């Protein structure tokens, strides 16, 4: 029997096993979900409850109603201010009781799920979202409970509920990442873009970085070979600018693999230098992930996702009260993923578990405990290489390394948050987050092209890097909400303590004879079957320990001088200490230690003026700092001052269609100084902190509802980021990986009536202009030759079917999503090397089927 025939039979057997496994998983999922659904079908039934609510301020009455009925009320307390309810006593069905309380107030209600109600002004179905925990560790759903500080319920961890599948807002009203204080978007004097869970669901995003296409000028420019990655905001790339619930979630001491979205409620992108609240960070901005909160109403869902390149991704979500009084609640999100890839030989596995528990200790105290565990195993993928002034004309399927070697990561996080309301004006928040990651990096990967480029011989480097990293942070904050005369204040005073630690031992083989193939591992990029993978003895090139200590004291005040004039001021003082120990290696028998401590104060001021309610004009000035790499020294032996960022921004915000559609336009200029650069005059062995860079640009973001069933989210960014001063790089040259033009649009429509009710479709586009692959040098002999990554336009689409009450207490959601519909070849970014250029996926189809039970 021929080898090809045997392989064909094996392939058929594998396909049969995969189909049988897929069918078994789907059948098991449906059986489990139906059993769970049967347990909760009675949740929507209304029974008479005895109420005792006297005539009083309506906000207080609604709080009493929620406590006595266990119903969840979603509304802005501002709409109830100055209103009184009618007295209510005796046994009533909850809906009848609520109708009685609201009678004569001009307010309307709408039931959106079992024991879930949204209240709004008459004739306006838009409801303001939740006031979160006055910090970024709280949830900020687009459908939260908005209760003023005068109500005991304020300090409870906000509950997230799954609404009717037809109600899917692409925008939200309040944000807190920008100020750590819940402030309406229109009053915030900064550009803040929110990617809601509805956008994530409609686009069928499964990695956090893919959701960022929805925020102007924000994208992942390097995946670090499939690890945590670096993210570019307003022209500046960094691995320090990602946070989760207000805690640092960077790619060095926290997330060492691509971030999943399974437990993400929304993503807030705050533009401009963020150090006034978040400490060290590049001046482009921060990305803050908001996680899902415990549920007070029973909810269960299961989803099967499958698609191109053997993607299998079953997920489950469970939540609800643990005890009858609902003082204890929980939520659990879990996922397993197995996939191949369009890249030759690449296979990956991933699992993610995320439980969260809530405890209402008393009417004024709440505790939340949440955890995460992520397992990820996949090859290090360094993409393609450049030939001449362009990316090599080879298939994007070509894997230029050994895909059998994998990077295996185990990561865990634990977050505990305690909230206590002292009185109507002041609250206390204390929170702790611990993160631990262990990774085993094992790769044979792209290094340098040797000989004439036309030969295509790529030298490969061999690495083994076992790494352990951890970070522990504690935040203590006092939040105030009070007035001084006619001036209203929302204040924050906080202290953050942190410790970060990493240890890594690098064993490597960079190749032997770099002129003639055979003495080292190599691959022919034009014919990947022409390769030679050698298992040579590895040399230990480094063994390092690094520990950082963080102390930050920060404050902020959002001041409403008038109803239409708002001012924000704040700042943060940081003490940042770095310790680095280089232990003996095969290249250095000595132990060396470096230590530096830097102090910095980072201010922020901003103002917003609303000439009329739907429009806001704003401006701000902010600063940032980033400590230099510990151990970097000049020829004089001195350590360097941190990088500094200063930014000016102005813009216009506009709301339309009863605040359901929001647009933000912004212009900005950011200057970064003390940029570390090589010192060619001293043989590149030392550095200089003399570099300067500047980014200028214009951004436009639009999100919301145009008509019932028609949602849109779109953005455009013009970004001009250039080197202003540098010893090595050419002054006036464009910074690598930053296109002048970038934008996206995504829109969905669901039919509201008739036989096609429940069907919908989505279509979108994502585009980036031409980008530099590497920095351009003053002296070409000192660095790699420049090359370009061509601009691209990627088209995406989706088809949906969503049926609420598919059966009693059950929602059905089905979708087919198409990414890169026209199968365009494009590059997502480089790692500032000609031998590392990351590829975009070709046409990809993902199908999903989800059942929700209430």
């Amino acid at each position: 029997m021929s080898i090809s025939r045997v392989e064909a039979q094996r392939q058929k057997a594998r396909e049969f096993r995969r189909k049988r496994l897929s069918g078994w998983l789907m059948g098991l999922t449906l059986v489990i979900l139906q059993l769970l659904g049967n347990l909760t079908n009675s949740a929507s039934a209304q029974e008479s409850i005895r109420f005792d609510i006297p005539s009083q301020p309506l906000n207080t009455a609604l709080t009493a109603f929620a406590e006595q009925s266990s119903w969840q009320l979603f509304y802005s307390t501002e709409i109830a201010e100055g209103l009184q309810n009618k007295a209510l006593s005796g046994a009533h069905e909850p809906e009848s009781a609520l109708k009685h309380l609201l009678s004569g107030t001009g307010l309307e209600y709408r039931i959106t799920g079992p024991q879930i109600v949204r209240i709004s002004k008459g004739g306006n179905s838009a409801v303001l979202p939740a006031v979160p925990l006055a910090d970024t560790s709280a949830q900020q759903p687009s459908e939260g409970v908005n209760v003023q500080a005068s109500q005991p319920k304020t300090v409870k961890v906000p509950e997230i509920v799954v609404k009717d599948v037809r109600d899917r807002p692409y925008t939200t009203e309040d944000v807190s990442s920008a100020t750590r204080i819940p402030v309406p978007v229109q009053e915030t004097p900064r550009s803040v873009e929110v990617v809601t869970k509805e956008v994530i669901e409609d686009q069928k995003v499964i990695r956090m970085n893919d959701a960022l296409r929805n925020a102007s000028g924000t994208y992942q420019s390097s995946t670090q070979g499939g690890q945590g990655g670096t993210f570019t905001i307003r022209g500046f790339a960094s691995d320090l600018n990602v946070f989760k619930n207000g805690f640092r979630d960077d790619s060095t001491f926290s997330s060492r693999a691509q971030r999943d979205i399974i437990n993400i409620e929304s993503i807030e992108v705050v533009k401009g230098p963020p150090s006034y609240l978040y400490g060290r960070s590049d001046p482009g901005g921060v990305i803050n992930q908001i996680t899902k909160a415990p549920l007070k109403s029973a909810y269960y869902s299961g989803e099967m996702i499958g698609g191109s390149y053997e993607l299998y991704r079953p997920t489950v979500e469970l939540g609800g009260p643990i005890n009858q009084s609902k003082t204890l609640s929980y939520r659990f999100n879990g996922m397993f993923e197995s996939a191949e890839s369009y890249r030759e030989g690449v296979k990956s596995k991933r699992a993610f578990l995320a439980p969260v528990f809530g405890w209402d200790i008393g009417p004024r105290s709440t505790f939340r405990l949440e955890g995460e565990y992520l397992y990820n195993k996949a090859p290090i993928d360094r993409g393609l290489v450049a030939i001449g002034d362009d990316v090599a004309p080879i298939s994007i399927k070509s894997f230029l390394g050994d895909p059998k070697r994998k990077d295996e990561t185990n990561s865990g996080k634990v977050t505990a948050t305690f909230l206590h309301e002292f009185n109507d004006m002041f609250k206390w928040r204390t929170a702790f987050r611990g993160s631990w990651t262990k990774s085993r990096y094992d790769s044979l990967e792209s290094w340098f092209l040797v000989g004439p480029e036309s030969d295509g011989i790529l030298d490969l480097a061999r690495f083994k890097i076992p790494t352990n990293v951890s970070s522990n942070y504690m935040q203590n904050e006092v939040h105030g909400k009070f007035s001084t005369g006619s001036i209203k204040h929302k204040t924050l005073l906080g202290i953050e303590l942190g410790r970060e630690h990493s240890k890594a031992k690098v064993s490597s083989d960079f190749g032997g004879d770099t002129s003639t193939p055979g003495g080292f591992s190599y691959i022919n990029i034009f014919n990947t079957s022409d390769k030679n993978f050698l298992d040579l003895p590895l040399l230990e090139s480094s063994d390092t320990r690094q520990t950082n200590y963080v102390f930050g004291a920060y404050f902020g005040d959002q001041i409403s001088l008038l109803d239409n004039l708002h001012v924000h001021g704040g700042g943060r003082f940081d003490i940042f200490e770095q310790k680095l120990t280089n232990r003996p290696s095969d290249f250095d028998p000595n132990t060396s230690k470096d230590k530096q401590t830097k102090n910095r104060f980072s201010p922020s001021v901003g103002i917003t003026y609303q000439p009329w309610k739907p429009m806001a004009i704003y401006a701000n000035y902010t600063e940032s700092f980033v400590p230099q790499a510990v151990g970097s020294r000049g020829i004089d032996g001195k350590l360097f001052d941190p990088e500094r960022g200063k930014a000016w921004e102005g813009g216009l915000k506009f709301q339309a269609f009863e605040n359901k559609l929001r647009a933000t336009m912004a212009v900005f200029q950011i200057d970064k100084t003390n940029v570390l650069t090589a010192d060619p005059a001293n043989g590149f062995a030392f550095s200089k902190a003399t570099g300067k860079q500047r980014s200028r640009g214009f951004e436009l973001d639009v999100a919301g509802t145009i008509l019932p069933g028609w949602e849109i989210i779109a953005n455009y960014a013009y970004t001009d980021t250039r080197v202003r001063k540098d010893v090595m790089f050419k002054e006036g040259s464009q910074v690598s990986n930053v296109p002048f033009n970038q934008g996206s649009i995504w829109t969905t429509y669901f039919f509201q009536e008739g036989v096609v009710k429940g069907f919908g479709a989505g279509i979108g586009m994502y585009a980036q202009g031409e980008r530099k692959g590497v920095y351009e040098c003053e002296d070409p002999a000192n660095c790699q030759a420049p090359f370009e990554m061509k601009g691209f336009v990627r088209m995406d689409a989706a088809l949906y079917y969503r049926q609420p009450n598919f059966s009693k207490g059950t929602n059905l959601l089905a979708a087919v999503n198409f990414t890169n519909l026209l199968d365009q070849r494009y590059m997502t970014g480089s790692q500032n090397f000609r031998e590392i250029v990351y590829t975009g996926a070709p046409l990809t189809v993902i199908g999903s089927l989800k059942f929700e039970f209430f």
Side-chain angles (χ1 to χ4, degrees):
M1 183 179 293
S2 67
I3 294 177
S4 60
R5 185 175 178 184
V6 170
E7 181 59 30
Q9 290 181 348
R10 289 176 177 172
Q11 181 66 25
K12 288 181 180 179
R14 285 196 294 268
E15 291 295 330
F16 174 76
R17 289 195 297 270
R18 287 169 180 157
K19 290 179 180 178
R20 184 172 61 181
L21 175 61
S22 177
W24 181 82
L25 287 173
M26 180 61 74
L28 179 61
T29 300
L30 293 176
V31 170
I32 293 173
L33 292 175
Q34 189 60 51
L35 290 174
L36 292 172
N38 291 338
L39 296 176
T40 60
N41 280 340
S42 61
S44 61
Q46 289 196 30
E47 298 179 356
S48 294
I49 297 174
R50 179 162 294 279
F51 292 93
D52 184 12
I53 304 175
S55 180
Q56 57 190 315
L58 184 59
N59 273 320
T60 305
L62 292 176
T63 300
F65 171 84
E67 291 176 343
Q68 295 176 27
S69 67
S70 296
W71 280 35
Q72 299 179 68
L73 306 183
F74 289 57
Y75 72 107
S76 166
T77 54
E78 293 178 0
I79 64 175
E81 288 181 355
L83 298 177
Q84 292 276 128
N85 68 288
K86 293 181 179 180
L88 176 69
S89 62
H92 303 274
E93 290 184 352
E95 184 176 358
S96 299
L98 180 61
K99 186 181 298 184
H100 178 84
L101 292 175
L102 296 179
S103 62
T105 65
L107 302 184
E108 297 179 349
Y109 72 91
R110 178 160 58 92
I111 296 178
T112 60
Q115 300 182 348
I116 303 167
V117 176
R118 302 184 75 181
I119 300 174
S120 62
K121 289 183 178 180
N124 180 11
S125 61
V127 180
L128 296 178
V131 171
L133 303 182
D135 76 292
T136 52
S137 72
Q139 301 299 318
Q140 298 180 67
S142 58
E143 67 280 10
V145 182
N146 191 351
V147 184
Q148 295 283 20
S150 60
Q151 308 301 334
K153 278 181 171 282
T154 304
V155 298
K156 293 187 178 180
V157 178
E159 304 162 12
I160 309 301
V161 297
V162 180
K163 307 178 296 178
D164 187 307
V165 297
R166 294 168 296 183
D167 189 8
R168 309 186 58 76
Y170 274 16
T171 187
T172 187
E173 182 66 24
D174 283 9
V175 295
S176 66
S177 294
T179 61
R180 290 189 186 264
I181 304 169
V183 177
V185 174
Q186 287 294 93
E187 299 176 11
T188 304
R190 294 177 72 92
S191 175
V192 185
E193 308 309 327
V194 182
V195 184
T196 67
K197 70 176 184 297
E198 288 79 13
V199 175
I200 293 172
E201 173 69 22
D202 287 354
Q203 294 179 352
K204 201 50 65 181
V205 168
I206 61 176
R207 298 286 188 272
M208 187 273 285
N209 55 284
D210 290 326
L212 297 178
R213 58 170 280 196
N214 300 289
S216 60
T218 307
Y219 54 96
Q220 187 174 63
S221 49
S222 165
T223 69
Q224 297 176 330
Q227 300 179 88
T230 58
F231 298 84
T232 296
I233 308 175
R234 286 186 170 175
F236 294 112
S238 176
D239 64 356
L240 296 173
N241 51 15
V242 182
F243 289 73
K244 179 172 283 188
N245 293 333
F247 286 105
R248 189 171 296 277
D249 189 40
D250 61 47
S251 302
T252 301
F253 296 97
S254 186
S255 291
R256 306 279 294 190
Q258 293 285 289
R259 298 164 178 86
D260 213 279
I261 53 82
I262 188 68
N263 67 330
I264 299 300
E265 181 69 24
S266 63
I267 302 170
E268 295 185 358
V269 181
V270 184
K271 307 294 185 61
S275 294
Y276 67 101
L277 285 179
Y278 294 94
R280 71 192 192 278
S281 190
D282 268 274
V286 295
I287 301 160
N288 189 33
Q289 306 160 88
I290 311 297
T291 58
K292 295 177 179 178
L295 294 169
K296 290 294 185 68
S297 294
Y299 170 77
Y300 312 92
S301 74
E303 181 175 31
M304 175 60 76
I305 298 175
S308 301
Y309 317 113
E310 303 297 333
L311 171 66
Y312 297 92
R313 183 181 163 98
T315 68
V316 64
E317 182 170 359
L318 314 171
I322 297 175
N323 59 353
Q324 188 172 3
S325 63
K326 298 187 178 181
T327 56
L328 297 175
S329 57
Y330 81 101
R331 192 172 194 163
F332 172 79
N333 287 270
M335 173 276 298
F336 172 78
E337 180 182 301
S338 174
E340 296 187 7
S341 171
Y342 66 95
R343 305 279 287 158
E344 293 173 344
V346 171
K347 298 180 180 180
S348 63
K349 290 188 183 297
R350 167 177 283 233
F352 192 90
L353 307 175
V356 55
F357 298 92
W359 178 22
D360 294 345
I361 302 173
R364 292 181 178 269
S365 301
T366 298
F367 178 76
R368 179 192 290 183
L369 180 66
E370 54 187 306
E372 292 183 10
Y373 169 73
L374 172 66
Y375 172 80
N376 188 81
K377 187 175 183 180
I380 293 294
D381 185 355
R382 299 294 183 179
L384 302 184
V385 302
I387 296 289
D389 59 359
D390 200 353
V391 179
I394 59 178
S395 171
I396 61 171
K397 297 180 181 179
S398 301
F399 188 86
L400 306 181
D402 184 0
K404 294 180 180 179
R405 301 188 184 276
K406 305 290 180 70
D407 177 39
E408 187 172 16
T409 301
N410 288 272
S411 178
K413 293 184 178 74
V414 174
T415 306
T417 305
F418 173 76
L419 296 166
H420 177 70
E421 183 184 77
F422 293 112
N423 51 43
D424 292 349
M425 292 189 295
F426 293 103
K427 310 184 198 109
W428 173 267
R429 169 185 175 267
T430 185
F432 170 82
R433 200 289 310 274
S435 175
W436 305 269
T437 299
K438 180 179 181 180
S439 63
R440 293 189 299 173
Y441 184 113
D442 186 359
S443 75
L444 185 62
E445 61 186 71
S446 175
W447 197 236
F448 286 108
L449 283 166
V450 295
E453 287 186 340
S454 57
D455 290 349
I457 302 301
L458 179 65
D459 189 359
L460 303 177
R462 176 86 165 85
F463 291 100
K464 272 194 173 181
I465 312 175
T467 304
N468 289 275
V469 301
S470 64
S471 64
N472 299 286
Y473 277 91
M474 174 171 281
Q475 297 171 352
N476 293 280
E477 298 172 347
V478 175
H479 298 264
K481 185 176 181 181
F482 55 88
S483 298
T484 54
S486 61
I487 300 175
K488 299 178 181 179
H489 298 263
K490 291 182 179 180
T491 63
L492 165 70
L493 182 64
I495 293 176
E496 181 175 61
L497 302 173
R499 180 184 184 272
E500 302 171 334
H501 180 73
S502 71
K503 58 180 180 179
K505 183 180 294 186
V506 180
S507 299
S508 58
D509 169 40
F510 301 118
D513 183 354
T514 58
S515 60
T516 305
F520 56 94
S521 295
Y522 74 89
I523 192 169
N524 188 328
I525 67 170
F526 299 115
N527 178 15
T528 54
S529 62
D530 178 10
K531 58 188 176 185
N532 185 30
F533 296 165
L534 301 177
D535 271 323
L536 300 175
L538 301 182
L539 297 177
E540 184 181 298
S541 55
S542 72
D543 185 354
T544 61
R545 306 287 189 275
Q546 180 172 341
T547 305
N548 299 332
Y549 296 95
V550 180
F551 170 82
Y554 49 94
F555 68 93
D557 192 1
Q558 179 77 13
I559 306 170
S560 295
L561 300 173
L562 302 170
D563 288 342
N564 64 343
L565 182 61
H566 314 280
V567 176
H568 178 266
R572 174 167 167 146
F573 176 75
D574 279 280
I575 301 175
F576 187 76
E577 180 180 279
Q578 298 168 289
K579 294 181 179 180
L580 176 67
T581 301
N582 289 300
R583 299 160 65 89
S585 68
D586 291 333
F587 294 90
D588 187 349
N590 301 310
T591 296
S592 64
K593 295 183 178 181
D594 283 293
K595 177 182 177 180
Q596 62 179 346
T597 302
K598 297 297 180 181
N599 306 331
R600 280 295 180 270
F601 177 74
S602 305
S604 171
V605 293
I607 185 170
T608 302
Y609 173 65
Q610 296 174 270
W612 62 92
K613 201 67 175 176
M615 178 178 287
I617 303 169
Y618 76 93
N620 67 64
Y621 169 79
T622 46
E623 295 185 5
S624 67
F625 83 102
V626 178
Q628 306 287 4
V630 62
S632 298
R633 295 179 181 273
I635 187 66
D636 57 3
K638 293 183 179 179
L639 301 175
F640 299 108
D641 287 336
E643 287 185 0
R644 296 304 303 268
K646 297 182 179 181
W648 294 260
E649 177 185 346
L652 176 69
K653 299 180 182 181
F654 184 76
Q655 293 177 328
F657 303 119
E658 298 178 331
N659 300 338
K660 296 177 184 178
L661 183 70
R662 178 175 293 110
T664 300
M665 292 178 285
V667 293
F668 64 89
Q669 176 177 301
I670 305 175
D671 286 293
K672 186 161 72 167
T673 58
N674 287 348
V675 178
L676 208 63
T677 180
D679 186 1
N682 293 288
F684 298 97
F686 300 98
S687 301
K688 289 187 175 183
T690 58
K692 295 183 180 180
Q693 296 178 2
R694 170 176 287 175
S695 182
R696 291 174 169 174
F698 165 81
E699 295 172 341
L700 171 64
D701 288 85
V702 179
T705 304
I706 299 176
L707 293 171
W710 185 6
E711 301 286 339
I712 188 171
I713 185 166
N715 65 77
Y716 167 76
Y718 173 81
T719 310
D720 185 2
T721 308
R722 295 183 181 273
V723 175
R724 295 187 64 213
K725 181 180 179 181
D726 202 283
V727 176
M728 188 171 182
F729 301 133
K730 189 173 183 179
E731 294 184 11
S733 62
Q734 188 180 358
V735 168
S736 65
N737 276 308
V738 182
F740 285 120
N741 298 283
Q742 175 186 340
S744 77
I745 183 171
W746 175 260
T747 184
T748 59
Y749 181 76
F750 282 87
F751 293 97
Q752 304 294 297
E753 304 293 342
V755 294
V756 292
K757 182 179 180 180
F759 287 93
I763 190 167
M765 176 193 75
Y766 177 53
Q768 283 192 348
E770 188 177 73
R771 295 142 290 155
K772 302 285 186 180
V774 296
Y775 282 87
E776 187 176 355
C777 277
E778 290 282 4
D779 182 359
N782 288 334
C783 53
Q784 291 189 315
F787 72 97
E788 306 282 347
M789 292 177 289
K790 295 179 180 178
F792 66 88
V793 177
R794 190 189 81 191
M795 301 297 296
D796 302 329
L799 297 173
Y800 309 103
Y801 177 69
R802 291 179 174 139
Q803 183 58 54
N805 297 319
F806 173 73
S807 62
K808 189 176 181 181
T810 306
N811 291 337
L812 167 66
L813 302 89
V816 180
N817 287 73
F818 305 88
T819 304
N820 197 1
L821 188 62
L822 302 181
D823 201 21
Q824 296 291 307
R825 171 189 167 96
Y826 68 98
M827 306 297 137
T828 60
S830 75
Q831 204 162 312
N832 289 314
F833 289 100
R834 290 178 62 85
E835 287 78 15
I836 303 178
V837 185
Y838 295 112
T839 61
L843 171 63
T844 303
V845 183
I846 294 178
S848 60
L849 181 64
K850 182 177 183 179
F851 289 92
E852 298 177 332
F853 300 98
F854 297 90

